[in-house]
């Protein structure tokens, strides 16, 4: 084939290259600037105006010129474009477009283009085309009795912008006057993004660019409500320009009809599905990229007089006991009555709906029907068919006895005196069956399980000594992983087995499984101890309770004398996993801590995990000499002191370190002793969240932030110092992958925006701490996990600032999520 190709090429005619058209050296470079004071999607009331003007500029200003314009798509010649002229030396001119004959209710379009290469650059980036649309329409104010205004709640801008103020509200709701187009019923407009909106959003008066633009929503079909592509009129970050948004529907984008994510209008309330709205910044470098908004599903418009009613009834079931099953019914505020009946069998949604219709129509025997009028417990007992699966079907009514919805729940029922035991056998075995692959009794165990009619299994693998006295049932209900449908089938077919790998040596593990057979659940456990030698570096994390006793913690001299290997996880990485970041050195300093008398201060260099151009050392205290730590009942080896004082420079930027709490991922805190480093094994120092902050302020500071006023350099956790002489190696790749998956979820949710200074914890004497057992089986057996559309946030933070009463100019912090794959029509 290769020879034939060369033979064919040798016989063919020479390829002809046609050179592209060259730029005219005398070109005037006429263009339409992106930023215009007049919109291109025009809308006026009949008789209000018949012309508009646009700004036009040019690069070559030497000569007086009249620019030849090409006008196309000008239906009925509605648009009359006046000559475009420039005087000699004039850089800017105005283009006037007239439309005196436009008729009400009809949409007109036209394109105005500069095509002549003498006047427009052939290859430049300037925009040489202006596309217009025009509609003349009358609008009538929507009222409902005495109600003359509605409410607009925004869940768009808060997905991308934040402000360091106490009153910042990411989902503000403001009053709006709503107007309906007289010739297009259900097509509404309102001025939502006003200065009043900004005040509610920011938590006080601030100055931003606000055009008081109209916001349009198309509810002509109440079941297919959408936002047309439109601008908010707001510019919150100067270099991004005005924010535009639209519903992700075929009317706006090249989508299949089935892919449209429409909102609905029901009882005067317009709502939209979560992530059904997208945002663009067309005047920014990211023009053409669309980002998901309405991430919380909070976007809502209340028409005048509309009220929000909650007719929901949430049902939750217990397990059979003494011939009865208790079902909790939580009724919404406006649900006045739940009429219900029990049906034998596990009904599908369609079957349950049919039964509900019969229930509402009174087609069931009276002795089968029950009612409750308030939240409470429904008891299923003495059911006619005896032991089996049943379905409760309910009809929900309002105070006027009007049917408002249906609900159902299936449950297992065991008649009094009968049993329906959970049949499951499981165990752990030591095997060298896969020793050739490096999977041995030092680092693995074989799990087997078989049973009958098992519907679900929540499971976990734990280090046995860490779960002594723990309620494993509660632990699994809270954080257990789930067997997949395929794995459950293997269990019920009698042949499930799985290697649990990446275990540590010389360690006892407990595998716990909470199995449910559709009626009752039961806890099963199995234990095994691995062979080999224990390696602290293989542990995915440690807790304060894992610290060695005080007399086994390193001395100050040992800390200073050792150049420590440094392992940590940077959750800003694409795949966050613990890896070696370099080395950490600790040195003495003459400084003393004024707020902690007696504290012996040190300097830690390398703990941030990044390379500094200048400085980089973080102040720290030798823990045994800290009164704050000691008097709060805590011990360890070393604890950093973080503040707003820069510790060094990177690329000319002042760099500071702070901490981020699990409970408050949007703020960076400046604190003394947020992390406490202590020996967890000989030569291994691990940094844990200082327990006193959790006990006294419910703050778990697990992440160390290093950054400037506009750049995040690292966000570290799982920080581990290891004496090189005792380093047994880090975490293997498989464990790292498991950790990466856990940290990836954290990275998606941890996007610090603000910097906050807090006082250190109070000295309050002995403090007790509760440790949650770590489920090491996460990831060993694949389990379903939520899929996130939002990730990869670009993060910035600002110092926390009170909003000035006069409304001074402020700069919003902005983050953008992954772009949606959408193409505008």
């Amino acid at each position: 084939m290769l020879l034939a190709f060369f033979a064919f090429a040798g016989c063919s005619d020479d390829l002809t290259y046609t050179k592209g058209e060259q730029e005219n050296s005398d070109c005037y470079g006429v263009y339409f600037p992106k930023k215009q004071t007049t919109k291109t999607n025009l809308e006026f009331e009949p008789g209000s105006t018949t012309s508009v003007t646009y700004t036009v500029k040019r690069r070559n200003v030497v000569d007086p010129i009249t620019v030849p314009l090409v006008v196309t798509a000008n239906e009925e010649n509605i648009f009359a474009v006046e000559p475009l002229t420039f005087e000699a030396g004039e850089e800017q001119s105005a283009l006037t477009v007239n439309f005196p004959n436009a008729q009400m209710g009809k949409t007109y379009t036209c394109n105005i283009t500069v095509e002549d290469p003498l006047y427009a650059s052939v290859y430049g980036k300037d925009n040489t085309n202006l596309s217009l649309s025009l509609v003349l329409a009358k609008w009538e104010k929507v009222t409902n009795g005495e109600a003359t205004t509605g409410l607009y709640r925004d869940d768009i801008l808060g997905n991308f912008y934040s402000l360091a103020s106490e009153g910042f509200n990411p989902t503000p709701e403001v009053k709006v006057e709503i107007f309906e187009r007289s010739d297009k019923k259900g097509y509404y407009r309102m001025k939502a993004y006003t200065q009043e909106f900004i005040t509610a959003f920011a938590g006080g008066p601030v100055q931003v660019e606000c055009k008081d633009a109209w916001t349009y929503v198309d509810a002509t079909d109440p079941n297919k409500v959408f936002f047309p592509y439109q601008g908010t009129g707001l510019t919150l970050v100067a270099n991004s320009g005005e924010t535009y948004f639209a519903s992700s529907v075929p009317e706006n984008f090249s989508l299949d009809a089935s892919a449209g994510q429409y909102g609905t209008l029901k009882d005067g309330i317009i709502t939209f599905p979560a992530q059904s709205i997208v945002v663009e910044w067309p005047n920014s470098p990211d023009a053409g990229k669309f980002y998901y908004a309405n991430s919380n599903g909070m976007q809502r418009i209340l028409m005048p007089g509309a009220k929000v009613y909650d007719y929901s009834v949430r049902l939750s079931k217990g397990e059979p006991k003494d011939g009865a099953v208790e079902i909790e019914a939580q009724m919404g505020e406006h649900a006045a009555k739940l009429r219900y009946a029990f049906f034998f069998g596990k009904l599908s949604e369609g079957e349950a709906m049919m039964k509900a219709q019969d229930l509402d129509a009174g087609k069931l025997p009276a002795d089968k029907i029950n009612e409750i009028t308030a939240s409470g417990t429904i008891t299923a007992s003495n059911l006619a068919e005896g032991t089996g699966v049943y379905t409760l079907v309910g009809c929900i009514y309002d105070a006027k006895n009007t049917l408002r919805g249906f609900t159902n729940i299936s449950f297992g029922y065991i008649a009094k005196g009968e049993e329906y035991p959970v049949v499951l056998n499981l165990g752990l075995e030591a095997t060298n069956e896969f020793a050739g692959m490096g999977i041995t009794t030092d680092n693995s165990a074989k799990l087997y399980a078989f049973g009958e009619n098992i519907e679900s299994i929540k499971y976990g693998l734990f280090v046995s000594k860490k779960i002594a006295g723990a309620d494993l049932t509660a632990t699994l209900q809270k954080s257990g992983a789930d067997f997949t449908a395929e794995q459950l089938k293997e269990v019920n077919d009698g042949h499930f087995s799985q290697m649990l790998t990446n275990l540590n040596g010389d360690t006892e593990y407990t595998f716990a499984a909470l199995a449910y057979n559709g009626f009752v659940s039961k806890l099963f456990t199995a234990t095994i101890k691995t062979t080999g030698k224990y390696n602290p570096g293989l542990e995915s994390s440690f807790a304060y309770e894992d610290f060695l006793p005080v007399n086994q913690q390193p001395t100050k001299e040992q800390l200073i004398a050792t150049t420590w290997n440094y392992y940590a996880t940077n959750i800003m990485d694409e795949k966050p996993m613990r890896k070696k970041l370099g080395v950490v050195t600790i040195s003495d300093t003459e400084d003393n801590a004024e707020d902690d008398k007696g504290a012996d201060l040190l300097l830690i260099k390398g703990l941030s995990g990044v390379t500094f151009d200048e400085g980089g050392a973080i102040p720290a205290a030798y823990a045994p000499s800290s009164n704050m730590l000691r008097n709060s009942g805590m011990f360890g080896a070393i604890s950093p002191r973080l503040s707003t004082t820069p510790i060094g420079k990177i690329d000319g930027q002042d760099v500071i370190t702070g901490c981020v709490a699990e409970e408050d991922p949007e703020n960076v805190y400046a604190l003394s002793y947020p992390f406490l480093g202590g020996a967890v094994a000989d030569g291994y120092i691990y940094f844990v969240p200082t327990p006193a902050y959790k006990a006294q302020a419910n703050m778990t500071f697990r992440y160390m932030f290093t950054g400037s006023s506009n750049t995040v350099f690292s966000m570290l956790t799982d920080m581990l110092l290891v004496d090189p002489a005792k380093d047994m190696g880090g975490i293997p790749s498989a464990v790292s992958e498991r950790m990466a998956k856990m940290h990836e979820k954290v990275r998606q949710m941890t996007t610090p925006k603000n910097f906050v200074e807090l006082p250190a914890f109070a000295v309050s004497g002995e403090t007790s701490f509760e440790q949650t057992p770590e489920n090491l089986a996460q990831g060993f057996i694949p389990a379903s996990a939520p899929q996130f559309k939002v990730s990869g946030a670009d993060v910035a933070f600002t110092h926390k600032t009170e909003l000035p009463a006069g409304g001074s100019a402020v700069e919003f912090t902005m983050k953008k999520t992954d772009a949606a794959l959408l193409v505008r029509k």
Side-chain angles (χ1 to χ4, degrees), residues 3 64 89 106 154 171 177 191 227 270 366 393 553 558 617 743 785:
L3 291 173
K106 188 171 182 180
D154 180 77
T171 54
E177 292 184 326
K191 288 194 173 181
F227 285 113
I270 296 176
V393 176
Q553 294 295 320
Q558 289 173 326
H743 289 304

Side-chain angles (χ1 to χ4, degrees), residues 694-707:
K694 178 66 175 179
Q696 298 178 24
N698 194 33
M699 301 290 269
T700 308
F701 292 106
R702 197 172 298 280
Y703 310 101
M704 190 175 82
F705 168 94
T706 301

Side-chain angles (χ1 to χ4, degrees), residues 256-277:
D256 291 336
S258 60
Q261 299 186 64
Y262 294 96
T264 58
L265 168 58
K266 186 176 181 180
D267 296 328
I269 303 172
I270 296 176
T271 57
F272 299 87
Q275 295 188 323
S276 65
I277 299 169

Side-chain angles (χ1 to χ4, degrees), residues 387-590:
T387 299
V389 176
Y390 291 78
T391 302
L392 181 153
V393 176
C395 297
I396 305 168
Y397 298 89
D398 63 16
K400 296 181 179 180
N401 207 36
T402 301
L403 180 65
R404 289 294 182 175
F406 309 107
T407 187
N408 69 86
I409 188 171
S410 295
F411 59 93
Y413 170 76
I414 302 175
K416 192 167 185 176
E418 297 184 10
E419 294 183 352
Y420 200 96
V422 180
V423 179
L424 178 68
N425 292 276
L426 66 82
L428 295 172
E429 294 179 343
T431 177
N432 282 310
E433 181 180 355
F434 304 102
M437 301 169 60
I439 300 173
T440 70
T441 57
D442 291 354
N443 56 29
S444 70
K446 183 178 181 179
L447 167 70
Y448 65 86
F450 56 92
E452 298 176 6
N453 302 316
I454 303 299
E455 291 192 1
S456 69
I457 296 177
K458 283 189 172 295
Y459 68 93
L461 181 68
F462 307 94
V463 175
S464 297
K465 67 179 181 180
K466 293 187 177 183
I467 58 170
D471 184 343
L472 283 180
T473 297
T475 298
L476 293 177
Q477 288 173 337
K478 180 180 179 180
S479 62
D482 295 297
F483 270 48
T484 66
E486 182 180 357
Q487 290 162 350
L488 289 171
K489 184 177 185 303
E490 291 178 359
V491 170
N492 289 320
D493 288 345
H495 57 80
F496 174 82
S497 66
Q498 176 79 46
M499 291 300 298
L500 306 181
T501 58
N502 303 304
L503 306 184
N504 212 331
D506 193 27
T507 304
E508 183 179 277
Y509 290 91
T510 297
F511 186 91
L514 187 63
Y516 177 66
N517 63 2
F519 293 82
V520 293
S521 57
K522 183 178 179 180
L523 178 68
F524 296 83
T525 62
T527 62
I528 195 169
K529 186 173 183 179
T530 56
T531 57
K533 187 176 181 181
Y534 174 71
N535 179 358
L538 296 183
E539 298 296 325
S540 57
S541 65
F542 291 94
Y544 176 74
E545 290 77 7
D546 296 317
F547 281 11
L548 298 178
V550 174
N551 61 0
Q552 295 182 40
Q553 294 295 320
T555 64
K556 175 183 172 182
E557 290 72 23
Q558 289 173 326
L559 290 173
I560 294 173
T562 306
T563 298
W564 300 89
N565 288 342
Y566 184 35
Y567 300 86
T569 299
N570 186 354
I571 66 168
M572 304 307 295
D573 289 344
E574 184 177 353
K575 276 194 170 184
M577 61 182 69
R578 191 197 297 159
K579 59 186 177 184
K580 187 175 181 180
L581 300 183
V583 296
V584 163
T585 57
I586 300 171
S587 59
D588 208 346
T589 176
E590 298 298 326

